[in-house]
Amino acid sequence: PAGYCCPVCPRANPPPCPVGTYSRNTGLQEESSCTLCDAGKYCQTTGLTAPTGSCSSGHFCTLGSSMADPTSLASSNISCAVGGGACPTGYYCLSGSLSATPCAAGTYNPSNGRSSCLSCPAGYYCPQGTSDPVASGYVCPIGYYCLSGTQTGTQTPCPAGKFSNATGAISSAVCASCSAGSYCGSVGLSAPTGPCY
């Protein structure tokens, strides 16, 4: 029957396709003829004719996965985790994920096994795949301010005519007007450009 291997000599009870595989075909001659479970799916029991279901959110399932929520985690090469794994920090996995997806710029993920990323906190910036903007040192630089969801440190400069010598600024309120007798000739300044003549 479908999902079972029937050796050349017929048997009353042919061996089933093993866990992590399935087959829609009948008359298979050996286990190697069974199909590895599709990426993004899992095959939890023996003798299946189709995958059991989709990989759980917060996890990714590679070919041959036998669990909805695999827990192996290869942080140096997440695409090589056998059967899949929990999404690592800096990544997220929706239900049915084939692999972990890096958090978009402006977001971060500090925990394993998440299905979404968080908005980057004000005062910091988050490049793609950020796991922790504070620990990574992604503090907003002088001359700029970083609202929640900022993607790069130079995304929002203090405007011309203003400057800021503070790091980690969370709003434009930190940008001070150029001092009397000085001018601020460009954006993103940490100090006045020079004296007025």
Side-chain angles (χ1 to χ4, degrees):
Y4 286 76
C5 309
C6 300
V8 177
C9 297
R11 286 201 241 169
N13 295 314
C17 284
V19 168
T21 68
Y22 72 98
S23 180
R24 293 184 176 96
N25 301 321
T26 59
L28 299 180
Q29 298 296 312
E30 51 194 36
E31 275 187 12
S32 63
S33 298
C34 297
T35 303
L36 283 174
C37 205
D38 304 335
K41 307 282 185 185
Y42 70 102
C43 297
Q44 190 169 18
T45 59
T46 62
L48 294 174
T49 58
T52 307
S54 292
C55 194
S56 296
S57 60
H59 297 81
F60 63 97
C61 294
T62 57
L63 283 173
S65 182
S66 61
M67 301 178 347
D69 53 354
T71 54
S72 63
L73 183 62
S75 59
S76 62
N77 190 348
I78 60 170
S79 64
C80 290
V82 176
C87 270
T89 61
Y91 291 77
Y92 70 97
C93 296
L94 301 175
S95 177
S97 289
L98 316 176
S99 62
T101 303
C103 290
T107 66
Y108 74 107
N109 180 7
S111 305
N112 292 326
R114 292 186 58 103
S115 59
S116 62
C117 299
L118 306 169
S119 183
C120 197
Y124 294 88
Y125 63 96
C126 295
Q128 181 183 36
T130 297
S131 58
D132 184 344
V134 178
S136 298
Y138 295 143
V139 65
C140 206
I142 57 176
Y144 297 82
Y145 60 97
C146 297
L147 305 172
S148 177
T150 296
Q151 299 175 5
T152 67
T154 56
Q155 184 172 324
T156 313
C158 286
K162 296 189 177 244
F163 72 97
S164 171
N165 59 8
T167 60
I170 62 171
S171 75
S172 60
V174 75
C175 301
S177 293
C178 214
S179 313
S182 299
Y183 74 99
C184 295
S186 62
V187 300
L189 293 176
S190 60
T193 306
C196 295
Y197 294 106

